[in-house]
């Protein structure tokens, strides 16, 4: 007689789910534990409660944020219960993970504003109708003095100083504030309250996720499975994607801007970006690379896949066509912003210093920057190069001023 644990249909379903969930996972604590919980879920029909905690600390989300969101969506599509915790309380404390100094403290108004923006952008990846959305101020705001003392009693200073980021700051004499020590315990308490079976996070979140396991066990719960994913390498090819590094793609960016940034991606990042930043099946990705296509064509496919995820198919194809028209065929964009040049900017002969014109167009912010840009080449008016930074130029109404490959403006003379 076949036992439930040996049921071929059950085992096949467990393997199917594990195969889906391993994609993009760098570490699972533990994989066997996850397998056992999925098997139990399939047998009993009780979905796993899968937690992702996010602190709303900015308006703009970038592509790197979508990795754990996508994993949460995959769990949802497999029939489990996604739990998205908006850390409106922990955001005011500040996560020290991966930081070499304390985060600036936020106000309640800032956090609420960021939270609304986060949910709107997260809906581009998550089906929020199937997600249990919670705010951890619901329970952390009710801890009170005795509750907080009981919570911090679960960890020692020695435990916390084991963290690489804390240890580094301690060695270098950089201040570590007490509220930063408390943060991992607050995040861990979230897992206790929502009774998480699985918690998702980036590799830099491992310490915080393990604290959640400890707190659950201390409260008599089964310790959650911790699933860590990679940090998406940014457009510079060396550092994690971050708006502060200037190497990110924002989820709210226009299709052409998104596509153009993908086309600037270093060749060696294309394979991991196909796997992490698209939803294409792995066997299809394998076939794409096995075909031996030119890197330009691979980037075009990658760019269209990413733009389609956050806009639509028409926008993706339009961005591809526009890029080809400008950069491959050396044509002008189909739409060019107009710049009315004020009469008082022109001399009696209708001329203007080229650097002043660049400043009016917003291409540079200082005369020195403008003179360097002209000297480097790439400045054209109606296709005619302007290489002298001292040049006084004139132009016809509707002439196009071009700086390099990406910046265009149509000049309008005063009436």
């Amino acid at each position: 007689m076949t036992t439930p644990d040996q049921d071929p249909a059950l085992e096949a379903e467990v393997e199917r789910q594990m195969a889906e969930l391993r994609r993009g996972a760098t570490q699972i604590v533990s994989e066997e534990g996850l397998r056992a919980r999925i098997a139990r879920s399939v047998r009993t029909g009780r979905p796993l409660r899968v937690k992702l905690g996010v602190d709303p600390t900015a308006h703009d989300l970038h592509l790197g944020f979508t990795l754990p969101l996508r994993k949460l969506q995959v769990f949802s599509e497999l029939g489990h219960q996604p739990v998205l915790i908006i850390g409106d309380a922990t955001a005011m404390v500040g996560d020290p993970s991966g930081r070499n100094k304390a985060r600036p403290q936020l106000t309640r108004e800032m956090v609420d504003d960021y939270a609304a923006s986060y949910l709107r952008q997260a809906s581009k990846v998550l089906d929020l109708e199937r997600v249990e959305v919670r705010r951890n101020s619901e329970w952390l705001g009710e801890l009170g003095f005795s509750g907080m003392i009981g919570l911090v009693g679960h960890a020692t200073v020695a435990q916390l100083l084991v963290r690489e980021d804390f240890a580094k700051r301690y060695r270098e004499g950089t201040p570590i504030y007490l509220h930063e020590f408390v943060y991992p315990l607050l995040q861990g308490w979230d897992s206790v309250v929502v009774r998480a079976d699985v918690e998702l996070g980036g590799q830099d979140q491992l310490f915080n996720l393990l604290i959640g396991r400890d707190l659950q066990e201390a409260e008599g719960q089964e310790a959650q499975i911790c699933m860590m994913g990679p940090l998406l390498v940014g457009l510079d090819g060396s550092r994690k994607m971050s708006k502060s590094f200037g190497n990110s793609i924002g989820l709210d960016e226009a299709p052409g801007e998104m596509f153009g940034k993908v086309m600037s991606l270093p060749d060696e990042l294309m394979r991991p970006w196909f796997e992490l930043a698209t939803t294409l099946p792995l066997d299809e990705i394998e076939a794409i690379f096995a075909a031996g296509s030119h890197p330009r064509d691979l980037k075009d496919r990658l760019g269209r896949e990413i733009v389609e995820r956050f806009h639509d198919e028409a926008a993706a194809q339009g961005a591809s066509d526009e890029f080809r028209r400008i950069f491959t065929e050396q044509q002008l964009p189909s739409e060019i912003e107009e710049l009315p040049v004020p009469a008082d900017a022109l001399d009696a002969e209708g001329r203007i210093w080229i650097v002043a014109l660049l400043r009016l167009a917003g291409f540079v912010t200082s005369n020195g920057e403008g003179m360097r840009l002209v000297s480097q080449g790439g400045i054209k008016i109606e296709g005619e190069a302007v290489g002298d930074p001292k040049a006084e130029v004139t132009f016809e109404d509707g002439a196009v001023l071009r700086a390099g490959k990406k910046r265009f403006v149509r000049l309008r003379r005063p009436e």
Side-chain angles (χ1 to χ4, degrees):
M1 180 176 178
T2 303
T3 66
D5 287 338
Q6 297 172 328
D7 182 344
L10 182 148
E11 291 182 359
E13 175 59 17
V14 171
E15 284 306 314
R16 182 184 76 86
Q17 293 196 27
M18 288 296 295
E20 289 278 344
L21 296 170
R22 285 193 196 99
R23 176 174 175 173
T26 56
Q27 186 178 2
I28 302 174
V29 182
S30 69
E31 186 164 329
E32 284 308 307
L34 178 60
R35 184 190 302 276
R37 294 219 188 175
I38 291 174
R40 185 172 64 196
S41 172
V42 174
R43 283 198 305 269
T44 64
R46 185 188 79 82
L48 300 181
R49 293 180 59 76
V50 185
K51 168 198 170 191
L52 172 63
V54 293
D55 286 350
T57 56
H59 279 124
D60 302 323
L61 298 189
H62 58 63
L63 199 57
F65 283 109
T66 67
L67 271 59
L69 290 173
R70 174 58 190 163
K71 184 66 69 178
L72 193 63
Q73 177 64 17
V74 170
F75 268 104
S76 178
E77 292 168 357
L78 292 173
H80 301 294
Q81 177 59 60
V83 182
L84 180 64
I85 296 182
I86 301 297
D88 57 337
T90 43
M92 298 179 69
V93 176
D95 184 1
S97 299
R99 304 289 293 189
N100 56 16
K101 62 181 180 180
R103 291 181 182 269
Q105 300 243 231
L106 304 176
T107 66
R108 166 58 57 187
E109 293 73 19
M110 292 168 68
V111 169
D112 288 344
D113 187 29
Y114 294 154
S117 180
Y118 192 106
L119 284 172
R120 178 184 60 77
Q121 293 173 80
S123 68
K124 298 182 179 185
V125 181
L126 279 176
D127 179 0
L128 290 178
E129 291 186 358
R130 299 170 62 178
V131 178
E132 180 182 321
V133 180
R134 306 285 296 276
R135 290 176 176 247
N136 61 13
S137 59
E138 294 175 35
W139 49 86
L140 295 181
E142 297 177 356
L143 268 180
F145 180 76
S146 60
M148 182 62 73
I149 293 299
L151 185 59
V152 298
H154 285 293
T156 67
V157 171
Q159 272 182 292
L160 295 168
L161 282 177
V162 168
R163 288 184 58 146
E164 183 179 348
D165 39 25
F166 282 154
K168 182 174 185 292
R169 285 163 64 180
Y170 185 74
R171 289 194 304 269
E172 295 173 351
T174 304
I176 305 171
Y177 297 93
L178 289 178
H179 72 274
E180 296 183 275
F181 273 159
V182 173
Y183 182 93
L185 294 164
L186 297 177
Q187 181 176 323
W189 191 248
D190 293 348
S191 295
V192 173
V193 173
V194 302
R195 306 188 72 88
D197 291 299
V198 180
E199 182 171 9
L200 309 177
Q203 194 62 48
D204 60 344
Q205 288 286 314
L206 177 59
F207 183 92
N208 293 350
L209 271 59
L210 292 176
I211 289 287
R213 285 171 59 90
D214 293 342
L215 290 177
Q216 284 180 311
E217 290 183 328
E219 294 297 318
Q221 296 181 17
E222 191 175 12
Q224 66 186 10
I225 305 300
C226 303
M227 179 176 284
M228 278 66 65
L231 300 175
L232 188 66
V233 176
L235 297 167
D236 57 4
S238 59
R239 297 176 293 185
K240 72 174 184 178
M241 182 172 286
S242 170
K243 188 176 179 181
S244 61
F245 293 153
N247 65 356
S248 64
I249 295 178
L251 302 193
D252 274 348
E253 289 183 6
E257 186 72 13
M258 274 188 171
F259 188 89
K261 287 184 175 182
V262 174
M263 294 300 289
S264 73
L265 197 68
D267 291 353
E268 63 270 17
L269 289 186
M270 282 192 289
R271 181 62 184 256
W273 270 52
F274 262 101
E275 293 184 4
L276 298 174
T278 80
T279 58
L280 291 172
L282 291 178
D283 56 355
E284 186 173 344
I285 294 173
E286 191 67 42
I288 289 171
F289 280 85
S293 301
H294 191 282
R296 181 186 60 248
D297 298 326
L298 289 173
K299 288 179 188 177
D300 180 88
R301 173 68 184 276
L302 178 61
R304 284 186 284 114
E305 291 291 337
I306 290 174
V307 173
E308 185 174 341
R309 279 188 74 189
F310 303 106
H311 294 281
D312 55 40
E313 184 177 359
Q317 188 58 55
S320 174
D321 293 342
E322 185 81 343
F323 187 91
R324 185 178 301 109
R325 179 166 47 250
I326 298 170
F327 295 99
T328 304
E329 301 171 4
Q330 296 295 303
Q331 297 182 31
L332 295 177
S334 56
E335 294 184 9
I336 300 177
E337 182 180 352
E338 293 192 349
L339 173 68
V341 179
D344 60 7
L346 304 174
D347 65 16
E349 284 75 36
R351 297 175 303 179
I352 184 173
W353 183 30
I354 184 60
V355 172
L357 188 59
L358 292 174
R359 293 191 68 171
L360 279 174
F363 293 168
V364 297
T365 58
S366 69
N367 290 345
E369 182 186 359
M371 294 178 75
R372 286 192 297 273
L373 185 61
V374 175
S375 298
Q376 291 165 1
I379 302 299
K380 295 181 180 180
I381 298 178
E382 279 300 283
E384 293 293 327
V386 181
D388 181 1
K390 297 179 181 179
E392 300 281 338
V393 298
T394 187
F395 55 88
E396 298 293 332
D397 185 62
V400 173
L401 171 66
R402 177 171 184 165
K405 295 181 177 180
K406 297 183 178 181
R407 293 180 291 180
F408 303 83
V409 68
R410 192 176 298 280
L411 304 172
R412 291 299 182 188
R413 294 189 67 83
E415 296 180 358

